Amino acid sequence: MNIVETRDLSKCYVFDSGLRVEALKDINVKIEEGEFVSFMGPSGSGKSTLLNIVGCLDQPSSGRVFIEGNEVDYRNSPAIVRLHRQTIGFVFQAFNLIPAMDALENVCYPMHFNGVGRSRQKQRASELLNLVGLEDRMCHLPSELSGGEQQRVAIARALANSPRIILADEPTGNLDSGTGRKITDLMKNINREQNISFIVTTHDPEMARAADKVLKLNDGTIII
Ligand code: ADP
Ligand code: ADP
């Protein structure tokens, strides 16, 4: 089954001046369940826009998106919220952890919104922090963690509600190459062991090498 499919997906930004930017032009992609796909391409080629639309953080101008075979209705916000809580996990370049919460609380946070009880939240969060190798860092604030450790917390948080898909926008973009490689390995292991599909945007050749499929974007179009 295709976990994600886009059909003639386009996105055009129109500015007040009348200027139009076609960020995506008729994108057709099919991503299979359990696949690790990376999107590469120069800055401004549309990678973030594509990820944001698939992740329902942004809406297409035209075209269709299917997640687990169901068409996404971008105007139906309760359905979008459900998709986010139950199907999609996000990892960002800048980690985006909550600064006032320690690692454990950051991982608990999405479970709270999914109606998970407090003791179950803490149990799962500590299991996930263990999985990403941070069993000794549970009570540390983000400011007390290295970049690589913060990204591990973010990966644990993305896994909190047992998603089928993890979307990651330049997940190694703020990390040195050695740390980036470890994060890539961690994501690849989670992909293999848990059959979670990964869709990443990256400039990082190591990340691209870990992918089952590399799709190249240029000027809003897939070139390979
Ligand atoms: P990439 O992630 O490959 O760097 P983006 O998806 O961020 O590319 O951007 C693709 C194009 O769309 C660029 O020309 C960018 O300036 C434009 N763009 C992206 N987001 C917005 C936005 N929110 N408003 C207007 N233009 C945008
Ligand atoms: P990345 O390097 O990860 O592609 P960008 O720097 O392109 O990120 O974009 C960061 C954020 O700014 C995104 O949320 C994108 O939608 C927004 N953005 C990018 N280009 C523009 C633009 N020209 N106008 C308004 N927002 C933009």
Side-chain angles (χ1 to χ4, degrees):
M1 190 193 60
N2 292 316
I3 192 119
V4 173
E5 179 177 353
T6 71
R7 293 192 200 153
D8 295 328
L9 180 68
S10 296
K11 177 72 178 181
C12 183
Y13 293 104
V14 182
F15 293 90
D16 292 340
S17 65
L19 178 73
R20 297 161 61 86
V21 173
E22 287 192 74
L24 296 174
K25 302 168 194 166
D26 295 328
I27 299 289
N28 290 289
V29 293
K30 289 182 179 174
I31 295 169
E32 284 170 34
E33 190 172 9
E35 228 177 356
F36 194 122
V37 174
S38 87
F39 284 92
M40 297 191 85
S43 187
S45 58
K47 303 183 299 296
S48 297
T49 301
L50 181 58
L51 209 67
N52 288 345
I53 292 173
V54 169
C56 308
L57 301 177
D58 199 355
Q59 299 195 4
S61 303
S62 62
R64 304 164 79 183
V65 176
F66 298 82
I67 294 181
E68 294 187 303
N70 300 310
E71 183 164 8
V72 180
D73 178 355
Y74 286 87
R75 291 153 309 175
N76 183 348
S77 44
I80 296 285
V81 168
R82 220 173 309 123
L83 257 181
H84 269 255
R85 289 191 186 152
Q86 297 174 357
T87 310
I88 299 173
F90 264 98
V91 174
F92 301 94
Q93 176 172 1
F95 321 131
N96 296 16
L97 300 173
I98 298 171
M101 288 185 182
D102 67 19
L104 191 80
E105 291 304 329
N106 265 285
V107 181
C108 285
Y109 196 63
M111 290 187 263
H112 169 75
F113 289 101
N114 214 18
V116 178
R118 190 70 187 131
S119 61
R120 177 74 192 119
Q121 284 177 25
K122 286 190 172 176
Q123 187 197 338
R124 177 149 174 85
S126 63
E127 284 165 11
L128 289 169
L129 286 169
N130 210 39
L131 174 78
V132 301
L134 288 184
E135 55 280 7
D136 300 334
R137 295 286 185 275
M138 305 222 187
C139 301
H140 288 234
L141 294 172
S143 60
E144 297 165 342
L145 296 170
S146 69
E149 288 169 338
Q150 289 182 62
Q151 199 58 304
R152 287 172 191 270
V153 177
I155 290 168
R157 178 183 59 183
L159 289 167
N161 288 328
S162 306
R164 304 300 313 134
I165 310 166
I166 290 190
L167 303 176
D169 198 358
E170 294 277 358
T172 59
N174 275 350
L175 304 173
D176 65 73
S177 59
T179 307
R181 196 165 307 130
K182 289 182 192 153
I183 293 295
T184 301
D185 290 345
L186 174 64
M187 290 171 56
K188 188 67 196 166
N189 286 340
I190 292 167
N191 163 249
R192 278 210 205 99
E193 284 163 18
Q194 305 196 24
N195 200 37
I196 296 173
S197 307
F198 275 74
I199 307 176
V200 303
T201 69
T202 192
H203 284 103
D204 177 356
E206 290 283 340
M207 179 68 78
R209 258 195 290 281
D212 299 313
K213 199 195 284 175
V214 177
L215 297 170
K216 292 196 176 143
L217 271 175
N218 192 32
D219 212 6
T221 304
I222 290 179
I223 54 174
I224 295 183

